[in-house]
Amino acid sequence: MKSFVKSVGALALLLAVGSLAHAELTIDVSKGIEGSGIPIAISPFAGGASENIAAVIASDLKRTGKFAPQSGGAQADYSVTGQASPGGARGYVVQFKLAGAQGSQLLGMSFDVPSSQLRPVAHRISDLIYEKLTGEKGLAGTKIAFVTAGGGFWLLVVADADGQNPNVILRSSQPIMSPSWSPDGSRLAYVSFEGRRPQIVVQDVYSGARRVVSAAPGINGAPSWAPNGQRLAFTLSKDGNPEIYALDLGSQNPVRLTSANAIDTEPVWLPDGSLVFTSDRGGSPQVYRIGPGGGAAQRLTFEGDYNASPTASPDGRYIAMVHRRGGQFYIAALDLKTRQFRVLTSGGLDESPSFAPNGRMIIYSNGRQLNAVSVDGGVKQDFVLRGRVRDPVWAPYGR
Amino acid sequence: MQYVVKTLIAVASLAFLASCASTGQNTEETTDSTITTQTDASGQPGQEAYSYPYGQAPSGYDAYDTGGGEQLAGAPGGGGGRAGRGGGGAGGNVVSADRIVYFEYDSANIRAESRPVIAANARAMTNNRRSVTQLEGHTDERGSREYNIALGERRANAVRQAMTALGVSPQQIRVVSYGEERPAAAGQDEQSYALNRRVEIVY
């Protein structure tokens, strides 16, 4: 309904200004009304491929919040045309062209793919267009992992960034939680309660091979990969209360990094090797930072009465977290450079934030469904996934 | 010396767990969309987890009943459960009320009305020194999942402390926290939350 109103408004203004130089005016009008979105006309791809490539590209670009996809032939700053025809060595030849308003070609490429790769190619094209026009890397070709449960089972699932193509990589009759991607995107660490006790498992996503890396008495929780992929930080309570440990994956001996008579948990690494984590050492859960080897902890959060589950943007500038005020839980972000603290969501039971690999979006859960929000709060997206879904983690760029 | 032995045991159990877990990959026979709980007819613990290479799970995501609905995520679907719980796959909490200690929001303090429950269970355990209990800590669903694991453990430790103060040996007690992962009630209301903030005394 909202977009219908927008369209009518834009159309009325378009008609009002007539044909003279309307392309440029449309840009301004469109931005003025919608507040965001570069108009880009996307024509249906010729050739009769089973996948609607144009629709996938339009959906991908719309989700970024930076583009307002239009149907083919519409007046727009940019246009995308292409075709996907049977042929080539692998089954399909997909070609596309991105042109500017004056018809000048900005991008033109051809892909030789099997029919099973038509959708991934559409995502690839979306990312090529996005990067060409914004200068940033896109997210359409990335993946997410999440946990879902029901009927006595827990599933660990890897899906495309638009929530499509969900693949079960672990099924258990005991809880699964806290998945964390290795920096190269090839492995997931997570907590599994098989055997009715928590342990930290590392699973190779593409072979399915698994290895238990921690099964100490008490909590084994909140695994997080170091930026170099060689170490894991996690929580153990074997010494009496939850503390942060780091384990060199080539060794068997985790090194303890905190010592407080309080809950210390949910460690995540920053690019410089320091860690942020949740601690209630001050009375309420708040986010703290320690150096690569531990040492004195610096408190980072002072807003609200509960800040937990921190996650770092890939460049280390932002910490997103679960934030409670007035009894409601929100996703908030702290800018470590300016110290600005910003609440990003409208609140409820928001939890489990995770940054996209380009640092622009944060995926999170309300315990039932997944949502994403841009780091400035301006762009919001819902994921429509079957079942109850939580614990989302956005995969890094990688393989 | 004692430390060395302990370490050896820890390493051995780690290795054992690792081998258990690694047998999980891609060994499932089920190829149709019917999902059944794996139970071992010989009475050994059924395998609880199966891993699959990306793209090679025998059933698609849509084949799984993840709708939630009336059945609780925490209710075991049938096999694999230990005695006294999860027998028929029924939803809801199946631990009897005289083995559950409830807590206030954000609190691990034992309430006065919980003292008789703890005392009765402690008495049974001091009467039978060979009995062992697992104290399972739980929270409601609000807030961070991993922080809730820590809160659930704090609650279970509070019950353990109360039981050892009544003469139960620490050797008779194991503690595990499930945080918010195994709710007893599915609702998103204060009544359900109150039922979920609990420690179950499981034998």
Side-chain angles (χ1 to χ4, degrees):
Chain A
M1 182 61 200
K2 202 175 162 194
S3 68
F4 171 73
V5 171
K6 277 182 193 164
S7 303
V8 170
L11 184 62
L13 278 161
L14 248 176
L15 291 171
V17 296
S19 61
L20 257 183
H22 63 248
E24 272 171 48
L25 281 171
T26 308
I27 304 166
D28 293 334
V29 165
S30 172
K31 279 182 182 165
I33 290 175
E34 305 197 12
S36 68
I38 303 164
I40 182 166
I42 302 169
S43 301
F45 275 44
S50 56
E51 195 73 54
N52 188 341
I53 292 175
V56 173
I57 295 170
S59 166
D60 286 344
L61 291 178
K62 189 170 196 307
R63 224 169 37 252
T64 66
K66 297 200 169 186
F67 290 92
Q70 326 264 324
S71 49
Q75 288 294 336
D77 299 23
Y78 302 100
S79 64
V80 179
T81 54
Q83 57 181 327
S85 314
R90 306 176 69 187
Y92 273 93
V93 175
V94 180
Q95 295 171 297
F96 85 98
K97 191 175 95 167
L98 170 68
Q102 277 71 47
S104 58
Q105 179 169 325
L106 301 174
L107 269 180
M109 292 181 95
S110 179
F111 304 88
D112 198 352
V113 295
S115 62
S116 64
Q117 294 299 303
L118 287 170
R119 192 176 179 90
V121 157
H123 290 319
R124 176 98 190 278
I125 293 170
S126 302
D127 282 339
L128 286 164
I129 294 168
Y130 181 85
E131 186 166 356
K132 179 73 182 176
L133 298 182
T134 68
E136 292 171 358
K137 289 189 80 173
L139 298 170
T142 60
K143 288 185 163 45
I144 57 172
F146 56 84
V147 175
T148 182
F153 287 103
W154 283 259
L155 306 175
L156 179 58
V157 180
V158 174
D160 295 347
D162 58 1
Q164 300 292 309
N165 192 26
N167 279 271
V168 175
I169 65 162
L170 181 73
R171 173 173 72 84
S172 179
S173 56
Q174 299 294 333
I176 302 165
M177 59 186 295
S178 306
S180 170
W181 288 96
S182 65
D184 67 356
S186 71
R187 288 176 288 174
L188 279 163
Y190 53 83
V191 176
S192 170
F193 280 79
E194 55 205 275
R196 294 192 164 262
R197 51 181 293 194
Q199 57 223 275
I200 294 167
V201 179
V202 170
Q203 179 170 332
D204 186 299
V205 172
Y206 295 91
S207 77
R210 321 168 69 208
R211 181 163 80 95
V212 175
V213 298
S214 181
I219 293 172
N220 295 262
S224 164
W225 293 82
N228 69 4
Q230 306 295 310
R231 302 174 86 199
L232 271 183
F234 46 73
T235 304
L236 301 178
S237 64
K238 64 190 176 75
D239 295 334
N241 64 293
E243 303 280 6
I244 310 296
Y245 289 76
L247 174 71
D248 189 316
L249 286 168
S251 90
Q252 301 276 350
N253 302 311
V255 176
R256 187 165 146 181
L257 299 179
T258 56
S259 57
N261 188 20
I263 292 169
D264 291 335
T265 188
E266 302 178 322
V268 287
W269 305 78
L270 295 180
D272 67 359
S274 65
L275 295 104
V276 294
F277 62 101
T278 308
S279 177
D280 74 343
R281 61 185 66 192
S284 66
Q286 298 291 343
V287 176
Y288 292 76
R289 182 178 189 168
I290 50 172
Q298 173 202 5
R299 181 169 164 176
L300 297 179
T301 54
F302 298 91
E303 314 258 345
D305 55 8
Y306 182 116
N307 292 293
S309 193
T311 185
S313 63
D315 63 3
R317 175 161 176 179
Y318 295 95
I319 306 292
M321 67 197 81
V322 174
H323 169 71
R324 185 179 73 191
R325 61 172 68 185
Q328 298 288 304
F329 291 86
Y330 304 79
I331 303 301
L334 173 67
D335 184 336
L336 289 178
K337 199 166 161 187
T338 65
R339 296 283 154 171
Q340 184 187 34
F341 186 92
R342 192 196 288 256
V343 176
L344 304 178
T345 63
S346 50
L349 293 170
D350 299 341
E351 63 184 24
S352 306
S354 168
F355 272 95
N358 68 359
R360 304 295 302 187
M361 301 291 291
I362 298 162
I363 193 170
Y364 65 97
S365 160
N366 62 7
R368 299 285 195 275
Q369 283 293 313
L370 308 186
N371 300 280
V373 63
S374 60
V375 71
D376 61 6
V379 179
K380 292 183 163 69
Q381 81 187 63
D382 301 329
F383 291 79
V384 180
L385 285 157
R386 192 171 165 278
R388 291 187 176 181
V389 196
R390 66 278 190 119
D391 259 342
V393 269
W394 215 309
Y397 294 121
R399 53 184 288 168
Chain B
M1 185 57 202
Q2 201 188 355
Y3 175 76
V4 174
V5 172
K6 271 189 192 159
T7 309
L8 280 174
I9 291 169
V11 170
S13 62
L14 247 178
F16 174 70
L17 280 163
S19 63
C20 284
S22 62
T23 58
Q25 50 175 303
N26 211 23
T27 53
E28 191 180 25
E29 306 271 303
T30 318
T31 50
D32 59 32
S33 62
T34 310
I35 306 307
T36 51
T37 306
Q38 304 292 308
T39 46
D40 192 315
S42 68
Q44 291 165 0
Q47 187 170 344
E48 293 178 313
Y50 295 85
S51 66
Y52 309 104
Y54 176 83
Q56 291 181 36
S59 303
Y61 177 72
D62 286 346
Y64 295 91
D65 171 25
T66 53
E70 293 307 304
Q71 183 163 24
L72 294 178
R82 92 213 127 210
R85 193 190 195 200
N93 53 334
V94 288
V95 172
S96 64
D98 56 1
R99 293 180 184 170
I100 304 178
V101 178
Y102 293 101
F103 291 82
E104 302 286 353
Y105 184 44
D106 261 354
S107 168
N109 294 331
I110 307 277
R111 295 190 287 193
E113 60 262 43
S114 298
R115 295 279 170 196
V117 173
I118 294 171
N121 283 278
R123 204 157 41 241
M125 294 196 70
T126 50
N127 287 340
N128 179 4
R129 287 292 177 186
R130 296 172 67 185
S131 63
V132 172
T133 184
Q134 178 151 301
L135 302 178
E136 300 186 347
H138 301 268
T139 68
D140 68 36
E141 67 174 294
R142 292 174 286 181
S144 152
R145 304 188 88 91
E146 280 286 353
Y147 188 74
N148 281 342
I149 289 286
L151 279 183
E153 184 183 69
R154 190 177 269 173
R155 285 176 180 156
N157 281 337
V159 174
R160 176 170 68 175
Q161 202 163 27
M163 290 178 97
T164 54
L166 294 169
V168 180
S169 161
Q171 266 70 48
Q172 292 177 273
I173 301 173
R174 289 195 310 175
V175 160
V176 64
S177 174
Y178 285 105
E180 64 180 277
E181 309 302 318
R182 283 184 171 279
Q188 293 185 298
D189 48 69
E190 193 43 58
Q191 194 178 3
S192 298
Y193 293 159
L195 288 170
N196 291 334
R197 294 189 300 265
R198 70 202 192 276
V199 170
E200 297 183 358
I201 302 168
V202 180
Y203 296 100

